[in-house]
Amino acid sequence: MAKKIESPCVSICQLKSGMCTGCGRSVEEIRHWKSMKRPERMKAMKLADQRLKKGASG
């Protein structure tokens, strides 16, 4: 069985332009995290990582 994907929350929880500056997830991703299946969580994690990298570089 595949390992459960835990929430990427780092307890910073500050929203800026609809994105958490701590974990990089969108408001919708945060809201729906508990009901997401593994593939959805993987996609959300990838997008969050991209958002955080983009925010750090620009």
Side-chain angles (χ1 to χ4, degrees):
M1 180 184 269
K3 186 177 177 185
K4 182 178 176 183
I5 298 176
E6 297 297 326
S7 171
C9 181
V10 293
S11 298
I12 293 175
C13 306
Q14 294 180 351
L15 297 176
K16 184 176 181 181
S17 301
M19 179 191 89
C20 176
T21 59
C23 69
R25 292 181 294 167
S26 71
V27 173
E28 288 300 310
E29 290 164 344
I30 294 167
R31 183 177 293 134
H32 297 291
W33 185 262
K34 286 187 177 187
S35 65
M36 286 181 174
K37 303 286 187 214
R38 183 176 172 78
E40 294 170 301
R41 287 184 177 194
M42 290 175 64
K43 182 178 178 182
M45 294 284 287
K46 183 176 181 179
L47 291 171
D49 185 53
Q50 290 172 351
R51 289 182 200 116
L52 287 173
K53 285 179 181 175
K54 182 179 178 183
S57 66

